[in-house]
Structure formats: C-alpha cells, structure tokens
Amino acid sequence: QVQLVQSGGGSVEPGGSLRLSCTAPADTYINTYMAWFRQTPGKGREGVAAIYTRDGTTHYGDSLKGRFAISRETDKNTVHLQMNNLKPEDSALYYCAAETITGAWSLWPTDYHYWSQGTQVTVSS
C-alpha cells in the first residue's frame, strides 16, 4: 500500500497563510501527477490543484489560482500547497493524492490511486 505522508495545516485567521506538504515514496512520485483536494462536511472532494512531478506543470481549480500555489521539491519527493489570503470558506479537510488512473492530469478525486490521511485547515477569527 502506497503511503502519502502529509504535514502542515492547522488554524489561521482570515488573511493568513499556511503551507501543506505531502511526501510520496520515490517510485510513486516520479513522473506522475499529484494533487490537492479539500472536503467540507456533506460535500464531495473538490480539486484544488495538480502538478506533474516531472516538469512542474500545474493546474488549478476554478477561482483558486492566485491565492493557492502548488509546487514540488523533487529531491524530497514532496509537493507543497501554499495557501495565502485565506478565507473562512477555505476551511476544510485537505488531502493530497498521487498517480492518476489515466496518466493525464485531473482534478477529479475518482481519478487518483493513492491518498493521504488528510489534515484540517480552519480559517476563523
């Protein structure tokens, strides 16, 4: 079973920033898509951003680019999600995912093989 190890998250006031990190095994990380999703109670997982680990090509969910940035740190098999100017509506359980079924980029949760345990992000004053 592939394990994705996630770190970061927590509580922040509106307008603040947080960074999430997700580390994959080397043979999972190489030449694949990794992505971030978020989920609030009663809703499905929403695609936040995806990155191709080979060349760093990125894709973002609607309206999130500009405040959120996905990046990779290849020597550590890690992808990051930098979240700036956070709003209360960004509060959610955040997950990272790796390796799409199709080999193409996707922001649909059903397209990914592997998932992290998730971490809570809470934005409130």
Side-chain angles (χ1 to χ4, degrees):
Q1 182 69 21
V2 172
Q3 187 174 12
L4 303 181
V5 179
Q6 186 176 342
S7 61
S11 297
V12 67
E13 293 185 349
S17 298
L18 285 173
R19 188 174 84 156
L20 305 179
S21 299
C22 178
T23 301
D27 57 354
T28 299
Y29 176 89
I30 191 168
N31 294 343
T32 191
Y33 283 93
M34 293 185 68
W36 290 97
F37 291 82
R38 64 185 184 182
Q39 187 170 21
T40 53
K43 294 186 178 181
R45 291 185 185 183
E46 174 191 11
V48 175
I51 189 167
Y52 187 39
T53 58
R54 179 176 183 178
D55 64 8
T57 301
T58 58
H59 304 272
Y60 290 89
D62 293 343
S63 79
L64 292 175
K65 188 175 183 179
R67 295 193 300 121
F68 288 20
I70 189 171
S71 62
R72 75 198 198 285
E73 201 169 352
T74 296
D75 60 338
K76 296 182 180 179
N77 305 327
T78 298
V79 297
H80 304 288
L81 183 68
Q82 178 67 40
M83 304 182 290
N84 299 323
N85 190 23
L86 283 161
K87 304 175 181 181
E89 53 264 40
D90 294 318
S91 297
L93 198 57
Y94 282 73
Y95 298 89
C96 73
E99 195 172 306
T100 57
I101 295 171
T102 62
W105 79 272
S106 173
L107 285 175
W108 287 103
T110 53
D111 287 343
Y112 282 84
H113 278 300
Y114 307 115
W115 291 87
S116 67
Q117 76 279 14
T119 190
Q120 180 68 38
V121 170
T122 302
V123 185
S124 70
S125 53

